Amino acid sequence: MKPQENLNLDNYWLPFTPNKKFKANPRLLTSAKCMYYKTDDDREVLDGIAGLWCTNAGHCHPKIVEAVQNQVAELDYATAFNMSHPKAFELAEKISSLTPEGLDRIFYGNSGSEAVETAMKVALAYHASKGEGQRTKFIGREKGYHGVNFGGVSVGGLTPNRKSFGPLLPGIDHMPHTWDVEHMAFSKGQPEWGLHLADELEKILMLQDPSTVAAVIIEPVTGSGGVIVPPKGYLERIREICTKHNVLLIFDEVITGFGRLGCCFAANRFDVRPDMITMAKGLTSAMIPMSAVAFDNSIYDQLMEGPEAMIELFHGYTYSGHPVACAAGIATLDVYEEEGLFDNAKAMEPQFEEAIHSLKGLNQVIDIRNIGLMGAIHFGSNGLPATEFAAKVFQHCYDNNVLVRYSGEFLVLSPSLIVEPTHIEKIIEALKTAIQSVN
């Protein structure tokens, strides 16, 4: 008898899930180790998506587990306001050693959504402290995902995430996304076509009046919107335009941070320096919820002006810099370094790229996109509707012990940084069989 047969499924409201369909046929995970989940029917399922882009060091890494266990027994919680604890400072120093030079000031939250809200609020406070309180507008991008709080949803560009929640925040505009199936289908890494799309930012700034814009926020690589890789030169041009108009540039690296692209941050890989970096997920390898924002030192310094006893920023969370999360973060960053996981991600990228592009030409596949250890297989509707096709492929893979992620018209892959060639082969073989089987 499955445990689920005696499990009351009524009370829990699952996020981003068709609850009625799920509860009619639930998929329950009961344990995990390294690259595998175990299900309630005692199957081992290869995790091809690192949980949700987040278990970068693999599941239940013993060093991180031990750090969490030890910390929760020693100091379960430390008051976050007007008090702190040593590990909060130790982790901030470790993070700042990995961020681009000069982004050394670290503020903690608990999720990517909170990191984005923090970045947006600090952008407003920074400009106001400089006497430019008129800079209240933000520019996001179509297909962008920046969490689910009101600020993040407002600057985000995924229609289903926005349509049920009213007008959202005022003063928001969006650049066009950079995906064009006609000009860049089956590009490997950064597409050659699309640099000119960065100039749309200049047009929006001219329309809005650049002196009223606080910040531009984008994912360096669009994640949940479909692994849309920036065209060559695109991010560099965005940086130039922001600098020209004294507009802050925020990189949302909740997904790309901590090795997903073979470097600690996408900012490092693309050699483009933003003014802020939001991060979460891989910060603790998802062992404990935690997020952070890295700020350019000049932003911090500006907000530190004023009387010594004055609170400089009226913002924060009860669980900012939680001791157990900090312990998990310190251990996770140690694991990345000691086991060379960023280097492994870089080494696995060519094989991952070749493997995922081997699906080209299969039933209803109209595009494949990849960079680092993240990729997407995009389906057309020349047969089943693409969204239905993707859901069926997902289920077929899961039934055959491989977990991928489906979202709308595409499937996403984002294996943990510990991935080995045999794991990649198994994931791609499961996808190939599923795509050929669905009709």
Side-chain angles (χ1 to χ4, degrees):
M1 179 184 292
K2 289 184 179 182
Q4 70 187 49
E5 294 178 3
N6 295 317
L7 187 65
N8 178 4
L9 304 178
D10 292 341
N11 300 105
Y12 178 38
W13 188 345
L14 285 84
F16 281 106
T17 301
N19 277 250
K20 288 182 290 185
K21 181 178 180 180
F22 177 89
K23 292 178 180 180
N25 185 27
R27 294 176 291 270
L28 300 177
L29 308 172
T30 57
S31 64
K33 186 176 181 180
C34 298
M35 287 289 295
Y36 288 87
Y37 281 115
K38 184 161 280 190
T39 66
D40 68 326
D41 56 353
D42 207 34
R43 292 185 297 125
E44 279 200 338
V45 175
L46 176 57
D47 182 4
I49 55 174
L52 202 58
W53 318 88
C54 54
T55 58
N56 289 9
H59 291 282
C60 296
H61 192 289
K63 178 164 184 169
I64 310 171
V65 169
E66 182 181 15
V68 168
Q69 291 173 332
N70 290 341
Q71 183 60 51
V72 78
E74 177 182 291
L75 177 64
D76 59 339
Y77 176 74
T79 304
F81 305 158
N82 295 303
M83 303 288 287
S84 193
H85 60 95
K87 283 187 172 63
F89 296 92
E90 184 181 344
L91 177 58
E93 183 179 19
K94 279 184 171 290
I95 295 170
S96 66
S97 73
L98 297 170
T99 52
E101 184 177 356
L103 272 74
D104 298 329
R105 301 296 183 252
I106 310 301
F107 196 101
Y108 296 123
N110 307 286
S111 66
S113 296
E114 290 183 0
V116 167
E117 300 296 305
T118 296
M120 293 177 68
K121 288 177 72 175
V122 170
L124 295 172
Y126 167 74
H127 289 300
S129 72
K130 293 178 64 180
E132 293 189 277
Q134 82 283 356
R135 288 187 179 267
T136 59
K137 298 176 183 176
F138 291 90
I139 299 172
R141 187 169 59 184
E142 295 170 352
K143 295 188 182 293
Y145 179 75
H146 302 292
V148 296
N149 292 348
F150 264 90
V153 172
S154 298
V155 294
L158 293 174
T159 300
N161 293 8
R162 299 167 55 89
K163 65 182 181 181
S164 298
F165 307 112
L168 301 174
L169 297 185
I172 307 291
D173 211 332
H174 294 81
M175 295 182 284
H177 63 77
T178 63
W179 181 58
D180 188 303
V181 69
E182 180 181 351
H183 292 96
M184 56 176 62
F186 302 102
S187 294
K188 295 180 177 180
Q190 288 188 266
E192 299 287 343
W193 183 91
L195 170 58
H196 64 283
L197 295 171
D199 291 324
E200 294 299 314
L201 175 58
E202 184 80 42
K203 296 177 184 177
I204 293 171
L205 287 168
M206 290 301 101
L207 175 66
Q208 295 289 349
D209 178 359
S211 70
T212 66
V213 177
V216 170
I217 180 168
I218 57 174
E219 300 165 276
V221 179
T222 299
S224 297
V227 187
I228 301 174
V229 184
K232 290 181 179 178
Y234 175 90
L235 293 176
E236 293 89 334
R237 180 66 180 135
I238 294 293
R239 173 70 274 181
E240 291 172 5
I241 294 170
C242 288
T243 300
K244 173 184 174 182
H245 296 290
N246 296 315
V247 172
L248 296 174
L249 176 59
I250 305 168
F251 274 4
D252 186 340
E253 297 223 36
V254 169
I255 286 175
T256 52
F258 301 103
R260 181 58 50 195
L261 303 187
C263 297
C264 189
F265 294 101
N268 303 111
R269 170 146 183 171
F270 296 120
D271 194 24
V272 175
R273 185 182 180 281
D275 301 295
M276 308 180 196
I277 296 177
T278 64
M279 61 194 80
K281 296 187 185 289
L283 174 55
T284 62
S285 195
M287 189 76 71
I288 297 288
M290 189 181 210
S291 65
V293 186
F295 292 98
D296 185 285
N297 297 350
S298 64
I299 295 173
Y300 176 88
D301 292 343
Q302 174 65 36
L303 290 173
M304 289 302 112
E305 293 186 1
E308 182 177 313
M310 182 183 73
I311 295 174
E312 299 93 359
L313 182 68
F314 283 84
H315 175 73
Y317 304 95
T318 300
Y319 303 117
S320 290
H322 192 285
V324 182
C326 287
I330 291 166
T332 299
L333 299 190
D334 285 344
V335 167
Y336 292 151
E337 181 178 7
E338 292 165 4
E339 299 185 9
L341 294 189
F342 298 168
D343 290 336
N344 188 63
K346 188 180 299 182
M348 288 294 101
E349 180 175 355
Q351 180 168 343
F352 179 74
E353 178 176 271
E354 181 180 355
I356 194 171
H357 279 274
S358 72
L359 302 174
K360 181 180 179 180
L362 295 186
N363 188 22
Q364 295 194 209
V365 176
I366 64 169
D367 191 19
I368 294 170
R369 303 178 288 276
N370 73 284
I371 191 168
L373 288 182
M374 55 194 301
I377 303 102
H378 206 124
F379 301 109
S381 295
N382 52 322
L384 287 177
T387 53
E388 181 180 346
F389 190 88
K392 286 179 176 289
V393 172
F394 157 80
Q395 187 64 49
H396 191 285
C397 287
Y398 181 74
D399 291 341
N400 288 276
N401 303 326
V402 170
L403 180 63
V404 297
R405 181 171 182 239
Y406 78 97
S407 180
E409 300 176 341
F410 53 85
L411 295 172
V412 164
L413 299 179
S414 57
S416 299
L417 310 187
I418 64 171
V419 70
E420 298 174 359
T422 53
H423 299 133
I424 294 173
E425 292 167 8
K426 184 175 180 179
I427 293 166
I428 297 303
E429 189 57 39
L431 279 165
K432 188 173 296 184
T433 301
I435 293 169
Q436 291 172 333
S437 301
V438 172
N439 52 48

